[in-house]
Amino acid sequence: MPKESFDLVVRNAQIATASEQYRADIGIVGGKITQIGAQLGAGTHEIDASGRVVTPGGVDAHCHLDQPMEPPAKMADNFDSGTRSAACGGTTTVIPFAAQQKGQSLLAAVEDYHQRAAGMAHVDYAFHLIVSDPTPEVLNKELPALIAQGYTSFKIYMTYEDMKLDDIEILNVLAVARAHKALTMIHAENADCIEWLTRRLEAAGHTAPRFHAHSRPMLVEREATHRAISLAELVDTPILIVHVSGREAVEQIRWARAHGLNILAETCPQYLFLTADDLGLDDQYEGARCICSPPPRDRANQEVIWHALSDGLFAVFSSDHAPFTYEGSDGKHPDGSQASFRYIPNGIPGIETRMALLFSEGVLGGRITLEKFVELIATNPAKAYGLHPRKGSISIGADADLVIWEEGEFTITNQNLHHAVDYTPYEGMHLRAWPAITLSRGRVIWDGQFHPAREHGQFLPCDAPSIFARIG
Ligand code: DUC
Ligand code: ZN
Ligand code: ZN
Protein backbone atom coordinates (compact mmCIF):
# COMPACT_ATOMS: atom_id res chain seq x y z
CA MET A 1 0.00 0.00 0.00
CA PRO A 2 1.45 3.46 -0.86
CA LYS A 3 2.41 5.51 2.16
CA GLU A 4 -0.29 8.09 1.55
CA SER A 5 -3.29 6.40 0.05
CA PHE A 6 -6.00 8.96 0.84
CA ASP A 7 -6.63 12.64 0.36
CA LEU A 8 -8.23 12.66 3.79
CA VAL A 9 -8.70 10.18 6.59
CA VAL A 10 -11.24 10.74 9.36
CA ARG A 11 -9.74 8.66 12.19
CA ASN A 12 -11.49 6.80 14.98
CA ALA A 13 -14.94 7.90 13.97
CA GLN A 14 -17.92 6.66 15.95
CA ILE A 15 -19.86 6.11 12.72
CA ALA A 16 -23.64 6.27 12.89
CA THR A 17 -25.77 5.20 9.95
CA ALA A 18 -29.48 4.55 9.67
CA SER A 19 -28.89 0.91 10.62
CA GLU A 20 -25.83 0.66 12.90
CA GLN A 21 -23.06 2.27 14.93
CA TYR A 22 -19.40 1.23 14.87
CA ARG A 23 -15.88 2.58 15.22
CA ALA A 24 -13.71 2.93 12.10
CA ASP A 25 -11.53 5.21 10.01
CA ILE A 26 -13.01 6.73 6.86
CA GLY A 27 -10.70 7.07 3.86
CA ILE A 28 -11.55 9.65 1.23
CA VAL A 29 -10.19 10.12 -2.29
CA GLY A 30 -11.47 12.63 -4.82
CA GLY A 31 -14.40 13.60 -2.60
CA LYS A 32 -15.68 10.01 -2.31
CA ILE A 33 -15.48 7.49 0.50
CA THR A 34 -13.14 4.79 -0.80
CA GLN A 35 -12.47 2.78 2.33
CA ILE A 36 -13.90 2.25 5.81
CA GLY A 37 -11.98 0.17 8.31
CA ALA A 38 -9.56 -0.03 11.18
CA GLN A 39 -6.15 1.64 10.97
CA LEU A 40 -6.33 2.83 7.40
CA GLY A 41 -3.14 4.08 5.72
CA ALA A 42 -2.15 7.69 5.95
CA GLY A 43 -3.98 10.55 4.32
CA THR A 44 -2.58 13.78 2.97
CA HIS A 45 -4.86 15.34 5.55
CA GLU A 46 -6.19 13.71 8.68
CA ILE A 47 -8.95 14.59 11.13
CA ASP A 48 -9.01 12.93 14.53
CA ALA A 49 -12.64 12.18 15.39
CA SER A 50 -11.87 10.21 18.56
CA GLY A 51 -14.85 10.18 20.88
CA ARG A 52 -17.06 11.90 18.32
CA VAL A 53 -20.16 10.68 16.56
CA VAL A 54 -19.86 10.92 12.77
CA THR A 55 -23.05 10.91 10.70
CA PRO A 56 -23.77 11.42 7.02
CA GLY A 57 -24.16 15.06 6.05
CA GLY A 58 -27.75 16.18 6.31
CA VAL A 59 -30.12 16.19 3.37
CA ASP A 60 -32.63 19.01 3.84
CA ALA A 61 -35.34 17.92 1.44
CA HIS A 62 -37.65 20.86 2.05
CA CYS A 63 -36.26 24.37 2.09
CA HIS A 64 -36.94 27.53 0.14
CA LEU A 65 -34.08 29.60 -1.24
CA ASP A 66 -34.42 32.63 -3.50
CA GLN A 67 -37.85 31.45 -4.57
CA PRO A 68 -39.65 34.16 -6.55
CA MET A 69 -42.49 35.57 -4.45
CA GLU A 70 -45.46 37.80 -5.05
CA PRO A 71 -44.33 41.36 -4.09
CA PRO A 72 -43.68 42.84 -1.67
CA ALA A 73 -42.45 39.56 -0.16
CA LYS A 74 -38.89 38.53 -0.95
CA MET A 75 -36.86 35.66 0.44
CA ALA A 76 -33.91 36.79 2.51
CA ASP A 77 -31.71 33.84 1.60
CA ASN A 78 -30.35 33.13 -1.83
CA PHE A 79 -28.25 30.07 -2.68
CA ASP A 80 -25.16 31.73 -1.22
CA SER A 81 -26.44 32.62 2.24
CA GLY A 82 -28.88 29.70 2.39
CA THR A 83 -26.31 27.01 1.67
CA ARG A 84 -23.76 28.78 3.92
CA SER A 85 -26.25 28.47 6.75
CA ALA A 86 -27.02 24.86 5.78
CA ALA A 87 -23.32 23.92 5.84
CA CYS A 88 -22.73 25.47 9.27
CA GLY A 89 -25.58 23.37 10.62
CA GLY A 90 -24.38 20.10 9.10
CA THR A 91 -26.52 19.98 5.97
CA THR A 92 -24.60 19.04 2.82
CA THR A 93 -27.46 18.61 0.35
CA VAL A 94 -30.42 20.93 -0.07
CA ILE A 95 -33.53 20.43 -2.18
CA PRO A 96 -35.34 23.75 -2.65
CA PHE A 97 -38.16 24.41 -5.12
CA ALA A 98 -38.25 25.62 -8.70
CA ALA A 99 -41.69 27.20 -8.52
CA GLN A 100 -43.96 27.65 -11.51
CA GLN A 101 -46.08 30.81 -11.40
CA LYS A 102 -49.57 30.52 -12.88
CA GLY A 103 -49.30 31.16 -16.62
CA GLN A 104 -45.59 30.36 -16.63
CA SER A 105 -43.95 27.42 -18.36
CA LEU A 106 -42.45 24.94 -15.92
CA LEU A 107 -39.33 24.72 -18.08
CA ALA A 108 -38.88 28.48 -17.78
CA ALA A 109 -39.21 28.25 -14.00
CA VAL A 110 -36.50 25.58 -13.87
CA GLU A 111 -34.21 27.54 -16.15
CA ASP A 112 -34.64 30.67 -14.05
CA TYR A 113 -33.95 28.71 -10.88
CA HIS A 114 -30.73 27.26 -12.28
CA GLN A 115 -29.54 30.77 -12.95
CA ARG A 116 -30.24 31.71 -9.35
CA ALA A 117 -28.21 28.74 -8.11
CA ALA A 118 -25.30 28.60 -10.54
CA GLY A 119 -21.97 29.37 -8.91
CA MET A 120 -23.65 30.33 -5.64
CA ALA A 121 -24.05 27.11 -3.67
CA HIS A 122 -21.58 25.97 -1.03
CA VAL A 123 -23.16 22.51 -0.87
CA ASP A 124 -24.77 20.23 -3.45
CA TYR A 125 -28.37 20.82 -4.45
CA ALA A 126 -31.24 19.25 -6.36
CA PHE A 127 -34.59 20.82 -7.24
CA HIS A 128 -38.15 19.87 -6.54
CA LEU A 129 -40.68 21.45 -8.85
CA ILE A 130 -43.78 23.34 -7.71
CA VAL A 131 -46.64 22.79 -10.13
CA SER A 132 -49.20 25.60 -9.85
CA ASP A 133 -50.58 25.56 -13.39
CA PRO A 134 -51.00 22.02 -14.72
CA THR A 135 -51.97 22.85 -18.29
CA PRO A 136 -52.06 20.06 -20.90
CA GLU A 137 -48.64 21.26 -22.10
CA VAL A 138 -47.23 20.97 -18.58
CA LEU A 139 -48.84 17.58 -17.91
CA ASN A 140 -48.14 15.93 -21.22
CA LYS A 141 -44.81 17.43 -22.22
CA GLU A 142 -42.98 19.52 -19.68
CA LEU A 143 -43.38 17.36 -16.59
CA PRO A 144 -42.46 14.07 -18.31
CA ALA A 145 -39.43 15.73 -19.91
CA LEU A 146 -38.30 17.24 -16.61
CA ILE A 147 -38.77 13.98 -14.70
CA ALA A 148 -36.57 12.25 -17.28
CA GLN A 149 -33.92 14.94 -16.73
CA GLY A 150 -33.74 14.35 -12.97
CA TYR A 151 -36.50 16.47 -11.45
CA THR A 152 -38.34 13.52 -9.97
CA SER A 153 -40.43 15.21 -7.28
CA PHE A 154 -42.91 18.04 -7.24
CA LYS A 155 -44.94 19.90 -4.67
CA ILE A 156 -48.54 20.87 -5.11
CA TYR A 157 -50.70 23.05 -2.89
CA MET A 158 -54.27 22.64 -1.72
CA THR A 159 -54.25 26.22 -0.41
CA TYR A 160 -53.03 29.74 -1.39
CA GLU A 161 -54.88 31.55 -4.18
CA ASP A 162 -51.82 31.76 -6.44
CA MET A 163 -50.77 28.15 -5.96
CA LYS A 164 -53.71 25.91 -5.16
CA LEU A 165 -54.98 23.13 -7.40
CA ASP A 166 -58.51 21.79 -7.41
CA ASP A 167 -59.17 18.07 -7.07
CA ILE A 168 -59.28 17.40 -10.81
CA GLU A 169 -55.95 19.17 -11.24
CA ILE A 170 -54.47 17.20 -8.35
CA LEU A 171 -55.65 13.94 -9.90
CA ASN A 172 -54.07 14.93 -13.22
CA VAL A 173 -50.73 15.67 -11.57
CA LEU A 174 -50.85 12.42 -9.58
CA ALA A 175 -51.50 10.48 -12.77
CA VAL A 176 -48.35 11.94 -14.34
CA ALA A 177 -46.40 11.06 -11.19
CA ARG A 178 -47.65 7.50 -11.39
CA ALA A 179 -46.89 7.12 -15.09
CA HIS A 180 -43.35 8.50 -14.76
CA LYS A 181 -42.41 7.26 -11.28
CA ALA A 182 -42.15 10.65 -9.63
CA LEU A 183 -43.10 11.59 -6.08
CA THR A 184 -45.74 14.23 -5.36
CA MET A 185 -45.39 16.29 -2.19
CA ILE A 186 -48.64 17.78 -0.97
CA HIS A 187 -49.32 20.86 1.15
CA ALA A 188 -52.57 19.74 2.74
CA GLU A 189 -54.81 22.52 4.08
CA ASN A 190 -58.37 23.27 2.97
CA ALA A 191 -58.28 26.66 1.19
CA ASP A 192 -61.99 27.46 1.44
CA CYS A 193 -62.18 26.77 5.17
CA ILE A 194 -59.17 29.04 5.71
CA GLU A 195 -60.71 31.82 3.62
CA TRP A 196 -64.05 31.55 5.39
CA LEU A 197 -62.44 31.65 8.81
CA THR A 198 -60.12 34.50 7.81
CA ARG A 199 -63.03 36.67 6.65
CA ARG A 200 -64.87 36.10 9.91
CA LEU A 201 -61.79 36.91 11.97
CA GLU A 202 -61.16 40.08 9.98
CA ALA A 203 -64.81 41.14 10.32
CA ALA A 204 -64.43 40.83 14.08
CA GLY A 205 -61.22 42.89 14.00
CA HIS A 206 -59.04 39.91 14.86
CA THR A 207 -56.06 40.54 12.62
CA ALA A 208 -53.07 40.16 14.99
CA PRO A 209 -50.51 37.45 14.12
CA ARG A 210 -51.91 35.01 16.69
CA PHE A 211 -55.14 34.77 14.71
CA HIS A 212 -53.19 33.10 11.91
CA ALA A 213 -53.46 29.92 14.00
CA HIS A 214 -57.21 30.45 14.47
CA SER A 215 -57.66 30.68 10.71
CA ARG A 216 -55.93 27.33 10.19
CA PRO A 217 -57.11 24.94 12.91
CA MET A 218 -56.14 21.29 12.71
CA LEU A 219 -59.46 20.42 11.12
CA VAL A 220 -58.45 22.17 7.87
CA GLU A 221 -55.25 20.15 7.77
CA ARG A 222 -57.05 16.94 8.68
CA GLU A 223 -59.67 17.31 5.94
CA ALA A 224 -57.11 18.11 3.26
CA THR A 225 -54.79 15.31 4.40
CA HIS A 226 -57.61 12.81 4.15
CA ARG A 227 -58.61 14.14 0.73
CA ALA A 228 -55.01 14.00 -0.53
CA ILE A 229 -54.77 10.40 0.67
CA SER A 230 -58.03 9.53 -1.08
CA LEU A 231 -56.93 11.13 -4.34
CA ALA A 232 -53.64 9.24 -4.18
CA GLU A 233 -55.53 6.02 -3.51
CA LEU A 234 -57.77 6.65 -6.51
CA VAL A 235 -54.75 7.13 -8.79
CA ASP A 236 -52.79 4.41 -6.98
CA THR A 237 -49.59 6.37 -6.51
CA PRO A 238 -47.45 7.26 -3.48
CA ILE A 239 -47.52 10.80 -2.09
CA LEU A 240 -45.61 12.58 0.64
CA ILE A 241 -47.56 14.88 2.94
CA VAL A 242 -45.26 17.76 3.87
CA HIS A 243 -44.98 19.71 7.14
CA VAL A 244 -47.44 17.65 9.23
CA SER A 245 -48.24 19.63 12.37
CA GLY A 246 -50.12 17.43 14.82
CA ARG A 247 -52.50 14.71 15.89
CA GLU A 248 -55.33 15.04 13.41
CA ALA A 249 -53.18 14.76 10.28
CA VAL A 250 -51.08 12.04 11.92
CA GLU A 251 -54.25 10.03 12.53
CA GLN A 252 -55.18 10.24 8.86
CA ILE A 253 -51.75 9.05 7.79
CA ARG A 254 -51.87 6.16 10.27
CA TRP A 255 -55.29 5.23 8.90
CA ALA A 256 -53.91 5.25 5.35
CA ARG A 257 -50.94 3.09 6.31
CA ALA A 258 -53.21 0.64 8.11
CA HIS A 259 -55.11 0.33 4.83
CA GLY A 260 -51.93 -0.51 2.95
CA LEU A 261 -51.55 2.82 1.19
CA ASN A 262 -48.09 4.12 0.34
CA ILE A 263 -48.37 7.48 2.09
CA LEU A 264 -45.16 9.13 3.28
CA ALA A 265 -44.98 12.02 5.66
CA GLU A 266 -42.63 14.79 6.71
CA THR A 267 -42.50 16.95 9.80
CA CYS A 268 -40.35 19.92 10.77
CA PRO A 269 -38.73 21.47 13.86
CA GLN A 270 -41.48 24.05 14.35
CA TYR A 271 -43.93 21.28 15.26
CA LEU A 272 -41.61 20.00 17.99
CA PHE A 273 -40.30 23.24 19.44
CA LEU A 274 -42.92 25.96 18.87
CA THR A 275 -46.56 26.29 19.86
CA ALA A 276 -49.35 28.64 18.82
CA ASP A 277 -48.40 30.74 21.86
CA ASP A 278 -45.26 31.76 19.95
CA LEU A 279 -47.54 33.68 17.58
CA GLY A 280 -47.97 36.16 20.42
CA LEU A 281 -50.53 37.34 22.93
CA ASP A 282 -53.37 39.77 22.29
CA ASP A 283 -52.27 42.25 19.66
CA GLN A 284 -48.49 41.75 19.96
CA TYR A 285 -46.93 41.81 16.53
CA GLU A 286 -43.69 39.97 17.41
CA GLY A 287 -45.45 36.67 16.86
CA ALA A 288 -45.32 37.38 13.12
CA ARG A 289 -41.85 35.84 13.34
CA CYS A 290 -43.40 32.43 13.89
CA ILE A 291 -46.15 32.58 11.28
CA CYS A 292 -45.90 29.48 9.16
CA SER A 293 -48.41 27.07 7.67
CA PRO A 294 -49.71 24.85 9.06
CA PRO A 295 -49.22 26.79 12.29
CA PRO A 296 -47.49 25.33 15.34
CA ARG A 297 -50.04 23.67 17.66
CA ASP A 298 -49.66 22.93 21.39
CA ARG A 299 -47.57 20.80 23.74
CA ALA A 300 -49.81 17.77 23.45
CA ASN A 301 -49.42 17.87 19.69
CA GLN A 302 -45.66 18.21 20.02
CA GLU A 303 -45.74 14.91 21.91
CA VAL A 304 -47.78 13.31 19.11
CA ILE A 305 -45.15 14.42 16.60
CA TRP A 306 -42.28 13.10 18.76
CA HIS A 307 -44.03 9.78 19.04
CA ALA A 308 -44.64 9.60 15.29
CA LEU A 309 -40.98 10.35 14.66
CA SER A 310 -39.81 7.54 16.89
CA ASP A 311 -42.27 4.92 15.65
CA GLY A 312 -41.58 5.43 11.95
CA LEU A 313 -44.72 7.26 10.86
CA PHE A 314 -42.56 10.10 9.55
CA ALA A 315 -40.07 9.26 6.84
CA VAL A 316 -38.43 12.66 6.68
CA PHE A 317 -37.50 15.56 8.99
CA SER A 318 -36.97 18.77 7.01
CA SER A 319 -36.51 22.39 7.95
CA ASP A 320 -39.10 24.01 5.66
CA HIS A 321 -36.70 26.96 5.82
CA ALA A 322 -38.72 29.85 4.38
CA PRO A 323 -36.60 32.90 5.09
CA PHE A 324 -38.30 36.28 5.52
CA THR A 325 -36.82 39.03 7.63
CA TYR A 326 -38.86 40.33 10.56
CA GLU A 327 -38.05 43.96 9.77
CA GLY A 328 -38.74 45.36 6.34
CA SER A 329 -41.59 45.50 3.91
CA ASP A 330 -40.32 42.48 1.97
CA GLY A 331 -40.50 40.42 5.16
CA LYS A 332 -42.89 40.18 8.08
CA HIS A 333 -43.92 43.88 7.80
CA PRO A 334 -45.58 44.05 4.38
CA ASP A 335 -45.57 47.65 3.13
CA GLY A 336 -43.70 48.59 6.27
CA SER A 337 -46.76 48.18 8.39
CA GLN A 338 -48.11 45.91 11.06
CA ALA A 339 -50.37 44.03 8.71
CA SER A 340 -53.27 41.67 9.16
CA PHE A 341 -52.04 38.09 9.54
CA ARG A 342 -53.48 37.38 6.08
CA TYR A 343 -50.75 39.46 4.43
CA ILE A 344 -47.76 38.30 6.49
CA PRO A 345 -45.49 35.96 4.48
CA ASN A 346 -45.75 32.38 5.68
CA GLY A 347 -42.58 30.70 6.77
CA ILE A 348 -39.76 30.70 9.26
CA PRO A 349 -36.00 30.15 9.03
CA GLY A 350 -34.44 26.90 10.25
CA ILE A 351 -32.00 25.41 7.76
CA GLU A 352 -29.05 25.74 10.18
CA THR A 353 -30.79 24.64 13.37
CA ARG A 354 -32.71 21.59 12.02
CA MET A 355 -30.09 18.93 12.70
CA ALA A 356 -28.77 20.18 16.03
CA LEU A 357 -32.28 20.58 17.42
CA LEU A 358 -33.16 16.98 16.61
CA PHE A 359 -29.77 15.57 17.66
CA SER A 360 -29.86 17.47 20.93
CA GLU A 361 -33.47 17.05 21.98
CA GLY A 362 -34.20 13.84 20.10
CA VAL A 363 -31.09 11.69 20.44
CA LEU A 364 -29.46 13.17 23.55
CA GLY A 365 -32.88 13.81 25.07
CA GLY A 366 -33.59 10.08 24.76
CA ARG A 367 -36.60 10.38 22.45
CA ILE A 368 -35.18 8.76 19.30
CA THR A 369 -32.22 6.53 18.57
CA LEU A 370 -29.15 7.79 16.79
CA GLU A 371 -29.97 5.48 13.87
CA LYS A 372 -33.46 6.96 13.60
CA PHE A 373 -31.93 10.44 13.63
CA VAL A 374 -29.68 9.56 10.69
CA GLU A 375 -32.58 7.98 8.84
CA LEU A 376 -34.78 11.06 9.29
CA ILE A 377 -32.27 13.79 8.50
CA ALA A 378 -30.25 12.15 5.74
CA THR A 379 -30.89 8.59 4.60
CA ASN A 380 -34.63 8.64 4.02
CA PRO A 381 -34.73 12.05 2.33
CA ALA A 382 -31.96 10.83 0.01
CA LYS A 383 -33.99 7.70 -0.75
CA ALA A 384 -37.28 9.51 -1.16
CA TYR A 385 -35.82 11.90 -3.71
CA GLY A 386 -33.57 9.56 -5.67
CA LEU A 387 -30.17 10.58 -4.29
CA HIS A 388 -29.29 7.46 -2.31
CA PRO A 389 -26.69 5.97 -1.81
CA ARG A 390 -24.59 8.84 -3.19
CA LYS A 391 -26.10 11.03 -0.48
CA GLY A 392 -27.38 10.16 2.98
CA SER A 393 -25.04 7.23 3.62
CA ILE A 394 -21.57 6.43 4.88
CA SER A 395 -20.55 3.70 2.46
CA ILE A 396 -17.90 2.93 -0.12
CA GLY A 397 -18.52 5.02 -3.22
CA ALA A 398 -20.75 7.55 -1.48
CA ASP A 399 -19.89 11.24 -1.51
CA ALA A 400 -17.76 12.12 1.51
CA ASP A 401 -20.45 14.31 3.06
CA LEU A 402 -19.96 13.94 6.80
CA VAL A 403 -20.73 15.65 10.06
CA ILE A 404 -18.49 15.26 13.09
CA TRP A 405 -20.55 16.11 16.16
CA GLU A 406 -19.50 17.89 19.29
CA GLU A 407 -21.45 17.41 22.49
CA GLY A 408 -21.47 20.24 25.02
CA GLU A 409 -23.47 23.34 25.82
CA PHE A 410 -24.62 25.50 22.94
CA THR A 411 -27.10 28.36 22.94
CA ILE A 412 -28.88 29.31 19.77
CA THR A 413 -28.54 33.00 19.00
CA ASN A 414 -29.23 34.62 15.69
CA GLN A 415 -25.88 36.35 15.91
CA ASN A 416 -24.16 32.96 15.63
CA LEU A 417 -26.20 31.76 12.68
CA HIS A 418 -25.23 32.26 9.06
CA HIS A 419 -28.49 32.89 7.23
CA ALA A 420 -29.54 36.36 6.05
CA VAL A 421 -32.61 36.49 8.27
CA ASP A 422 -32.68 38.92 11.20
CA TYR A 423 -34.07 36.46 13.74
CA THR A 424 -34.35 32.81 14.69
CA PRO A 425 -37.53 31.43 16.27
CA TYR A 426 -35.26 29.45 18.62
CA GLU A 427 -33.34 32.41 20.12
CA GLY A 428 -31.88 31.51 23.52
CA MET A 429 -32.63 27.82 23.31
CA HIS A 430 -30.01 25.61 24.99
CA LEU A 431 -28.72 22.65 23.00
CA ARG A 432 -26.45 19.75 23.90
CA ALA A 433 -24.72 19.31 20.53
CA TRP A 434 -23.69 21.12 17.36
CA PRO A 435 -21.70 20.05 14.29
CA ALA A 436 -18.00 20.53 14.98
CA ILE A 437 -17.00 19.82 11.37
CA THR A 438 -19.00 19.56 8.16
CA LEU A 439 -17.39 17.92 5.14
CA SER A 440 -18.89 18.34 1.69
CA ARG A 441 -17.38 15.84 -0.76
CA GLY A 442 -14.30 15.66 1.42
CA ARG A 443 -13.89 19.42 1.78
CA VAL A 444 -14.11 21.08 5.21
CA ILE A 445 -16.73 23.79 4.89
CA TRP A 446 -17.46 24.28 8.58
CA ASP A 447 -15.16 23.71 11.56
CA GLY A 448 -16.41 26.42 13.87
CA GLN A 449 -15.61 28.81 11.03
CA PHE A 450 -17.29 28.84 7.68
CA HIS A 451 -15.02 28.11 4.70
CA PRO A 452 -16.75 29.47 1.60
CA ALA A 453 -16.94 27.10 -1.33
CA ARG A 454 -19.20 28.86 -3.79
CA GLU A 455 -18.00 27.12 -6.93
CA HIS A 456 -18.08 23.80 -5.12
CA GLY A 457 -21.83 23.10 -4.79
CA GLN A 458 -23.07 20.95 -7.68
CA PHE A 459 -26.49 20.38 -9.13
CA LEU A 460 -27.69 16.80 -8.57
CA PRO A 461 -30.12 15.27 -11.04
CA CYS A 462 -32.32 12.85 -9.09
CA ASP A 463 -33.13 9.25 -9.92
CA ALA A 464 -36.59 7.84 -9.41
CA PRO A 465 -37.42 7.87 -5.71
CA SER A 466 -36.38 4.55 -4.18
CA ILE A 467 -39.64 4.84 -2.30
CA PHE A 468 -41.02 2.58 -5.02
CA ALA A 469 -38.82 -0.13 -3.61
CA ARG A 470 -39.96 0.81 -0.06
CA ILE A 471 -38.17 3.13 2.28
CA GLY A 472 -36.13 1.83 5.19
N1 DUC B 1 -45.53 25.99 2.82
C1 DUC B 1 -44.26 25.68 2.80
O1 DUC B 1 -43.93 24.55 2.49
N2 DUC B 1 -43.33 26.56 3.14
C2 DUC B 1 -43.62 27.87 3.51
C3 DUC B 1 -45.02 28.25 3.47
C4 DUC B 1 -45.96 27.16 3.16
O2 DUC B 1 -47.15 27.35 3.21
ZN1 ZN C 1 -46.29 24.11 2.21
ZN1 ZN D 1 -42.06 24.81 2.44
Side-chain angles (χ1 to χ4, degrees):
M1 182 181 289
K3 200 160 165 255
E4 287 191 352
S5 41
F6 301 102
D7 298 336
L8 173 66
V9 176
V10 178
R11 293 250 174 242
N12 303 311
Q14 185 58 37
I15 294 173
T17 71
S19 56
E20 59 185 339
Q21 298 180 41
Y22 59 99
R23 218 93 133 260
D25 301 338
I26 303 170
I28 296 163
V29 177
K32 300 261 184 208
I33 297 173
T34 57
Q35 225 174 312
I36 302 171
Q39 298 175 342
L40 296 186
T44 307
H45 301 281
E46 303 227 348
I47 295 173
D48 182 9
S50 298
R52 300 253 169 110
V53 169
V54 177
T55 63
V59 177
D60 194 343
H62 183 162
C63 53
H64 304 265
L65 303 176
D66 202 10
Q67 187 177 310
M69 303 297 299
E70 216 172 285
K74 186 173 185 326
M75 290 204 165
D77 280 316
N78 58 16
F79 276 81
D80 175 13
S81 62
T83 60
R84 174 179 73 203
S85 187
C88 299
T91 289
T92 50
T93 302
V94 295
I95 318 183
F97 297 84
Q100 178 199 27
Q101 312 299 311
K102 283 207 197 289
Q104 187 190 26
S105 128
L106 200 49
L107 293 176
V110 171
E111 230 165 78
D112 169 71
Y113 210 48
H114 270 295
Q115 278 171 20
R116 290 166 186 260
M120 297 281 272
H122 304 278
V123 301
D124 293 345
Y125 58 96
F127 294 166
H128 305 293
L129 310 172
I130 289 177
V131 181
S132 67
D133 199 359
T135 60
E137 176 76 10
V138 166
L139 292 169
N140 300 329
K141 296 207 178 123
E142 294 194 339
L143 257 184
L146 286 165
I147 294 167
Q149 288 167 36
Y151 307 88
T152 58
S153 50
F154 26 87
K155 183 177 177 192
I156 57 176
Y157 288 79
M158 299 171 83
T159 187
Y160 297 130
E161 213 39 58
D162 54 339
M163 289 284 177
K164 72 177 185 204
L165 305 189
D166 64 26
D167 289 356
I168 297 241
E169 291 173 318
I170 294 173
L171 289 165
N172 284 337
V173 170
L174 292 176
V176 174
R178 182 181 198 277
H180 298 275
K181 294 203 176 342
L183 182 61
T184 309
M185 310 158 76
I186 302 191
H187 178 131
E189 288 185 299
N190 180 310
D192 286 342
C193 291
I194 294 167
E195 181 59 28
W196 187 80
L197 286 166
T198 300
R199 287 181 195 172
R200 283 170 70 100
L201 287 161
E202 286 175 338
H206 296 324
T207 59
R210 74 188 177 95
F211 292 106
H212 172 76
H214 296 236
S215 74
R216 306 174 104 98
M218 274 203 287
L219 176 157
V220 311
E221 186 186 5
R222 181 232 299 163
E223 186 281 330
T225 300
H226 186 83
R227 186 156 36 100
I229 289 167
S230 304
L231 300 177
E233 182 181 5
L234 185 58
V235 177
D236 184 24
T237 193
I239 54 169
L240 185 144
I241 310 280
V242 292
H243 45 50
V244 171
S245 74
R247 182 176 59 80
E248 298 199 19
V250 164
E251 284 172 353
Q252 298 307 312
I253 296 159
R254 280 200 200 287
W255 175 88
R257 293 273 181 80
H259 286 76
L261 302 176
N262 201 351
I263 306 296
L264 299 162
E266 168 203 84
T267 194
C268 313
Q270 49 268 38
Y271 306 116
L272 295 176
F273 302 107
L274 300 179
T275 69
D277 290 348
D278 291 301
L279 298 183
L281 296 171
D282 304 323
D283 286 344
Q284 283 172 349
Y285 197 76
E286 291 72 25
R289 290 185 173 94
C290 294
I291 283 190
C292 58
S293 293
R297 307 298 183 186
D298 59 17
R299 296 236 175 252
N301 279 286
Q302 290 180 348
E303 288 305 314
V304 171
I305 298 292
W306 275 116
H307 189 67
L309 278 169
S310 70
D311 77 4
L313 181 97
F314 288 115
V316 175
F317 187 75
S318 308
S319 71
D320 195 6
H321 180 78
F324 300 100
T325 56
Y326 178 63
E327 300 295 347
S329 57
D330 51 4
K332 299 282 188 178
H333 287 77
D335 301 318
S337 63
Q338 298 203 343
S340 162
F341 67 84
R342 179 202 279 277
Y343 302 107
I344 299 172
N346 277 222
I348 61 175
I351 204 166
E352 191 166 347
T353 42
R354 172 186 74 120
M355 288 174 56
L357 281 167
L358 193 65
F359 191 97
S360 179
E361 300 310 301
V363 179
L364 301 178
R367 289 174 174 274
I368 59 171
T369 64
L370 185 52
E371 288 87 344
K372 176 58 75 181
F373 168 78
V374 173
E375 184 181 83
L376 286 163
I377 54 89
T379 309
N380 275 353
K383 287 181 177 178
Y385 300 113
L387 295 170
H388 191 263
R390 177 174 175 188
K391 300 295 186 186
S393 76
I394 299 180
S395 59
I396 308 294
D399 283 353
D401 291 357
L402 300 170
V403 177
I404 303 172
W405 288 89
E406 183 175 350
E407 293 177 29
E409 287 186 12
F410 300 85
T411 303
I412 299 179
T413 65
N414 200 52
Q415 213 186 350
N416 292 337
L417 299 180
H418 299 79
H419 57 198
V421 185
D422 55 359
Y423 75 96
T424 166
Y426 309 109
E427 185 73 33
M429 204 170 147
H430 298 293
L431 297 184
R432 305 176 223 200
W434 194 268
I437 295 178
T438 306
L439 293 170
S440 167
R441 280 184 280 110
R443 179 167 171 164
V444 175
I445 48 175
W446 163 255
D447 59 3
Q449 292 226 17
F450 174 60
H451 300 280
R454 261 172 60 154
E455 300 299 325
H456 168 81
Q458 291 178 353
F459 174 69
L460 304 163
C462 297
D463 294 330
S466 43
I467 234 75
F468 295 108
R470 274 197 83 73
I471 223 163

